[in-house]
Amino acid sequence: MADKKRVLSGMRPSGKLHLGHLHGVLSNWKRLQEEYECFFFVADWHALTTNYEKAWEIPENIEEMVLDWLAVGVDPEKATIFIQSDIKEHAELHLLLSMITPLSWLERNPTYKEQKQQLKSKDLSTYGFLGYPVLQAADIIIYKANKVPVGVDQLPHVELTREITRRFNYLYQEIFPIPEPLLAEVPKLPGLDGRKMSKSYGNSIFLSDSAEEVQNKIMTMVTDVERPKKSDPGDPEKRCVAFNLHKLYLPEEEIQDIVQECKAASLGCVACKKRLAKAIIQAMEPVWEMRNTLASEPGKVKEILHAGAERAREQARSTMDQVRQALWSPAAK
Ligand code: TRP
């Protein structure tokens, strides 16, 4: 274990997850947990920066989200899974890092500017929201993470973490490795309507959807718009939204057959989407089974998160001992 590189990533508890999360984030976590020492956590304090007016919604969302993580195979035996707010040390390190983080670094953060623009209905002129990346830096370095799997949207935050970490190491003592972002190749997975799959667009297939829901949703999915009738030849690789899912869920030979039959106008979109729905349902069955088993055991998820917190806390405490030492009583300065 000791020589394994350490990976850390967090997700805000937004409630139930969809196929976009599975193929974009969770399948990557599953790969990483085989190779690295992984810490995966629920960023509930981060959720509070934008949802402080409805703080009570956050705990409900945590359980749903963690059920999804576990159901798809993020494994508490392999990775340390916990809730951010269970480890108070994140808050202490956040405070200390806030002392050394220049305001200008935060004010020019592109996600700060963008989100303030986009979420106009919320008052985000808060101290906490501006400091979002400082808290994220604390999350990362408190575990001395080497690699941080994130999407491109989060790259500015990892860059800020690197700058803050360098500043700490320079001012006090070199105790932190400089973490690196880990960008995964993410397959294209649009929502039912062809836009990015997102809960707020209402175009998602959720991991907790039933077989009927999956079937019904797939049947509403946009196919080749230039193929209004079955007798028109289609071009799935160029124009069919559903075909992005075929590529993820069907075996290679079947995909080839579908392309040919669609181009030859012999396979209709309804029949084609039925095949897709069947394949997705088949792939999801073990996930649903696992989700139901976990959900039917009262206290199971809490128990897993508790055990994860114990492990995480040990590391966070040991780092904070070093941090306080470096700050208050450096051996030689
Ligand atoms: N900001 C991240 C997001 O919105 C969540 C997050 C919080 C995170 N702390 C983190 C991700 C630390 C990676 C590492 O997706």
Side-chain angles (χ1 to χ4, degrees):
M1 207 65 159
D3 52 353
K4 273 194 189 174
K5 291 257 182 207
R6 212 172 256 183
V7 160
L8 172 130
S9 200
M11 206 189 274
R12 278 175 294 173
S14 53
K16 48 188 189 174
L17 303 181
H18 52 60
L19 291 187
H21 296 111
L22 173 58
H23 296 285
V25 182
L26 297 176
S27 49
N28 191 32
W29 285 12
K30 278 175 58 178
R31 251 196 322 275
L32 293 168
Q33 72 186 359
E34 302 298 334
E35 204 185 321
Y36 295 94
E37 186 188 0
C38 289
F39 290 77
F40 299 130
F41 75 98
V42 180
D44 58 341
W45 279 334
H46 277 99
L48 207 52
T49 60
T50 50
N51 270 26
Y52 57 87
E53 286 183 274
K54 292 188 177 165
W56 66 87
E57 289 179 357
I58 296 174
E60 295 163 26
N61 286 339
I62 293 178
E63 175 117 0
E64 284 297 316
M65 185 171 85
V66 174
L67 268 174
D68 283 335
W69 291 5
L70 300 169
V72 300
V74 178
D75 185 346
E77 302 281 321
K78 294 177 182 156
T80 301
I81 302 171
F82 63 99
I83 303 175
Q84 181 182 35
S85 66
D86 279 343
I87 315 296
K88 310 302 179 204
E89 285 77 5
H90 288 228
E92 186 188 9
L93 186 55
H94 167 251
L95 175 92
L96 297 176
L97 296 180
S98 80
M99 305 299 169
I100 65 168
T101 305
L103 262 186
S104 59
W105 291 6
L106 300 175
E107 283 163 346
R108 66 165 183 245
N109 167 22
T111 33
Y112 174 70
K113 293 193 241 173
E114 250 168 57
Q115 289 225 35
K116 262 185 86 168
Q117 272 291 318
Q118 277 172 14
L119 305 174
K120 276 242 166 67
S121 58
K122 295 181 182 171
D123 181 4
L124 295 180
S125 303
T126 60
Y127 177 54
F129 187 64
L130 180 66
Y132 186 110
V134 185
L135 181 57
Q136 187 159 344
D139 300 336
I140 296 169
I141 67 176
I142 206 163
Y143 301 102
K144 301 195 175 176
N146 308 99
K147 311 239 175 220
V148 186
V150 284
V152 267
D153 61 309
Q154 291 291 313
L155 283 179
H157 292 171
V158 181
E159 194 46 49
L160 259 165
T161 298
R162 291 162 59 86
E163 288 182 55
I164 296 170
T165 311
R166 281 194 207 101
R167 196 161 156 90
F168 182 99
N169 283 348
Y170 168 76
L171 284 171
Y172 306 112
Q173 211 173 297
E174 195 144 345
I175 57 181
F176 295 114
I178 307 295
E180 281 170 25
L182 205 60
L183 272 183
E185 226 177 277
V186 177
K188 188 168 174 238
L189 194 139
L192 303 173
D193 56 1
R195 292 184 294 172
K196 183 179 156 79
M197 190 177 282
S198 157
K199 198 167 165 183
S200 54
Y201 291 158
N203 65 358
S204 303
I205 297 175
F206 294 100
L207 301 180
S208 49
D209 278 348
S210 65
E212 294 73 46
E213 282 168 316
V214 171
Q215 169 88 24
N216 293 340
K217 284 182 178 179
I218 291 294
M219 297 320 285
T220 68
M221 221 175 163
V222 180
T223 50
D224 187 341
V225 284
E226 289 178 33
R227 194 188 175 203
K229 297 193 301 293
K230 183 181 163 189
S231 53
D232 300 320
D235 193 345
E237 276 148 325
K238 284 221 184 81
R239 296 187 295 260
C240 179
V241 174
F243 189 65
N244 292 290
L245 284 173
H246 286 81
K247 283 191 283 194
L248 286 171
Y249 285 92
L250 291 172
E252 188 54 36
E253 320 85 74
E254 203 174 337
I255 297 173
Q256 291 314 321
D257 290 349
I258 285 177
V259 172
Q260 277 186 1
E261 290 170 38
C262 179
K263 283 184 169 164
S266 57
L267 174 67
C269 294
V270 170
C272 185
K273 285 195 286 186
K274 277 192 183 147
R275 273 156 79 169
L276 173 62
K278 200 170 150 207
I280 297 180
I281 289 167
Q282 214 172 40
M284 290 306 292
E285 258 155 12
V287 174
W288 295 329
E289 206 182 300
M290 176 79 160
R291 206 180 194 283
N292 288 338
T293 310
L294 286 163
S296 69
E297 278 185 66
K300 183 69 187 169
V301 172
K302 284 207 168 57
E303 203 180 287
I304 288 170
L305 290 169
H306 182 80
E310 295 281 304
R311 273 197 270 166
R313 191 174 297 117
E314 196 181 303
Q315 174 61 46
R317 284 201 173 146
S318 133
T319 303
M320 285 315 293
D321 284 344
Q322 281 180 291
V323 166
R324 290 182 212 112
Q325 172 83 21
L327 223 83
W328 306 120
S329 41
K333 259 274 159 179

